[in-house]
Amino acid sequence: MIINKNLVKAAGYNPTKESRQKSIFEMCDLIEEGEISLPLYQRDLSWTLKKSIELLNYQLLGKSPVSPISINVINNIDEAVPQVTFIDREIVTNIVRGQNSVVDGQQRLTTNYKAYINHDDFKTIVLDLGKGQFVKFDEQPRPNQIPVGILLNKDDSVLFEYAKEHRSLNDPQAINILLQVKNKMKSYNYTINQAIDLTEDEQIDWFEVLNNAGSRVSIIQMRFSKLKAHGIDIYTQYTNIYKEKMYERGYDDFFTPQKTNVSYPIAALNPAYETIVGKEHNKNFAPMPSDTKENQLCNLCTENPEKLTKCFEITLGALDRALDFISEHNLKKPERVDYINYLLGYLVFHPQDIGDATTHKLIEWYNTVDFRNKSNSSRRKIFTELLNI
């Protein structure tokens, strides 16, 4: 009987024997020292403040452990996937043998690390002694509340100094429970599932198997994360700014589920891409999620990063104009992001000031267009017809 050699090899290797445990503070120490990093393909941070609070409360109050962290240990440095740091996503230039690269667990580790360093993002999260859990406050912490970045700070003296300055927390009973909470969170162990020298494809396969019960990581996000190697951080330079502009106008409800955080802003780049490369509009380049052109955008960056940066600039400028148009003419709040992205696309192709006649036509289009229950081909036709107004 012929037996596959790979089967023989697989039967003799048990990866679960590579699992181990590390405490939250041990992992935070390693992140700070640069010994734990992220593969370049990893998407940016996606957890909301609410999600981070839920994790902190689960670690504090949960009766079962948090799911394991998946780590790829880099021994073969020459063939390693490029690495970036946590939070700021800076390229790691000095990968060392034994480097721990996080395949799955970025959001959980970052949540704990932000508390550990008292990051500004967590300034509104506190432990409420009365409620017995972590909560978000709106104005100032109450006397029975302590900021998470003070409580779980890497430096124990920060907690004691804060308690001295706040009489209500300097009570022996309060200090005692705060120290118990801190010690529990410091020593809270995560199981680390470990593999060695996985290729990028193997790491992505591992991630998708781990997350097949939820949403799979977006291939778009992975591709754009790699642009960091060309000096482009699409999240800080474009997608986050796009979302912030939407949030400022009260359109934050457009960005659920999570996949829309990238698909909507990336789709909005299509008109600018066509103008940058000097193409006439192609019907398959409508500014809608089904027509995202990550391959073309990534290739553009590889050939000329400045052109991709110009796409960001043009699109964000047109977004401002589109949002101003809706506001200045007291138009109804859009039910879908398509109203904004299509109007944005029109303004990219028509960068000059529009006259009264065109303004009237655009208002009429906005008030009468209907995106509901439309096929992709119908939605592409809507955009093509809009450009001809």
Side-chain angles (χ1 to χ4, degrees), residues 21-37:
Q21 287 195 327
K22 279 192 179 296
S23 72
I24 286 175
F25 268 44
E26 283 181 292
M27 290 186 289
C28 288
D29 287 342
L30 292 174
I31 291 172
E32 189 161 59
E33 292 166 6
E35 294 183 31
I36 296 182
S37 55

Side-chain angles (χ1 to χ4, degrees), residues 79-118:
E79 297 183 10
V81 173
Q83 300 291 298
V84 294
T85 59
F86 278 72
I87 302 178
D88 56 11
R89 297 182 60 83
E90 294 298 325
I91 296 290
V92 176
T93 57
N94 58 335
I95 299 175
V96 297
R97 180 179 171 81
Q99 183 90 17
N100 291 300
S101 178
V102 178
V103 174
D104 184 49
Q106 175 191 184
Q107 312 296 336
R108 284 166 285 161
L109 289 176
T110 301
T111 293
N112 286 303
Y113 185 61
K114 282 184 174 180
Y116 174 85
I117 62 174
N118 196 15

Side-chain angles (χ1 to χ4, degrees), residues 40 82-84 89-91 223-233 301-302 305:
L40 182 61
Q83 300 291 298
V84 294
R89 297 182 60 83
E90 294 298 325
I91 296 290
R223 289 218 60 189
F224 282 127
S225 293
K226 296 180 184 179
L227 298 183
K228 185 77 174 180
H230 300 281
I232 299 291
D233 188 332
C301 179
T302 302

Side-chain angles (χ1 to χ4, degrees), residues 113-324:
Y113 185 61
K114 282 184 174 180
Y116 174 85
I117 62 174
N118 196 15
H119 194 276
D120 284 345
D121 288 351
F122 280 13
K123 293 297 186 184
T124 57
I125 301 178
V126 293
L127 175 67
D128 188 302
L129 297 182
K131 294 180 178 178
Q133 62 183 4
F134 291 100
V135 298
K136 181 180 181 297
F137 69 85
D138 295 322
E139 296 179 1
Q140 293 292 328
R142 299 194 187 103
N144 68 337
Q145 296 177 335
I146 182 168
V148 67
I150 300 297
L151 175 62
L152 303 183
N153 197 282
K154 58 184 176 181
D155 185 352
D156 288 341
S157 67
V158 172
L159 169 57
F160 292 112
E161 290 299 321
Y162 188 89
K164 285 181 182 178
E165 296 171 4
H166 295 76
R167 183 177 302 176
S168 60
L169 297 175
N170 205 20
D171 175 79
Q173 187 177 9
I175 285 290
N176 182 55
I177 191 62
L178 291 176
L179 288 175
Q180 287 186 53
V181 169
K182 177 160 189 171
N183 288 333
K184 174 178 180 175
M185 300 291 271
K186 283 178 67 173
S187 60
Y188 189 101
N189 284 332
Y190 271 80
T191 296
I192 310 295
N193 289 331
Q194 183 174 289
I196 298 174
D197 286 331
L198 295 182
T199 65
E200 181 175 322
D201 288 341
E202 288 172 334
Q203 292 176 52
I204 293 172
D205 287 344
W206 190 14
F207 183 96
E208 292 182 348
V209 168
L210 292 169
N211 290 275
N212 61 8
S215 58
R216 293 175 60 183
V217 67
S218 168
I219 297 301
I220 297 175
Q221 290 175 294
M222 286 185 173
R223 289 218 60 189
F224 282 127
S225 293
K226 296 180 184 179
L227 298 183
K228 185 77 174 180
H230 300 281
I232 299 291
D233 188 332
I234 195 166
Y235 305 112
T236 60
Q237 292 177 249
Y238 174 65
T239 59
N240 290 347
I241 299 174
Y242 175 102
K243 288 187 291 184
E244 286 169 8
K245 290 179 182 293
M246 290 286 211
Y247 291 163
E248 289 172 359
R249 306 296 182 111
Y251 302 144
D252 51 309
D253 53 338
F254 287 145
F255 298 98
T256 54
Q258 178 61 34
K259 63 183 181 180
T260 59
N261 277 275
V262 171
S263 60
Y264 286 157
I266 296 306
L269 289 169
N270 285 353
Y273 172 82
E274 289 190 294
T275 60
I276 286 290
V277 299
K279 293 177 57 179
E280 292 186 4
H281 173 60
N282 182 305
K283 65 179 182 180
N284 293 320
F285 277 72
M288 63 184 196
S290 300
D291 283 359
T292 55
K293 304 298 180 185
E294 59 271 17
N295 291 334
Q296 289 87 336
L297 292 167
C298 288
N299 290 338
L300 180 64
C301 179
T302 302
E303 297 165 4
N304 191 330
E306 290 77 16
K307 285 189 176 181
L308 184 58
T309 302
K310 187 64 176 177
C311 278
F312 298 162
E313 180 185 328
I314 291 173
T315 303
L316 292 173
L319 175 60
D320 283 333
R321 291 180 65 200
L323 294 172
D324 287 343

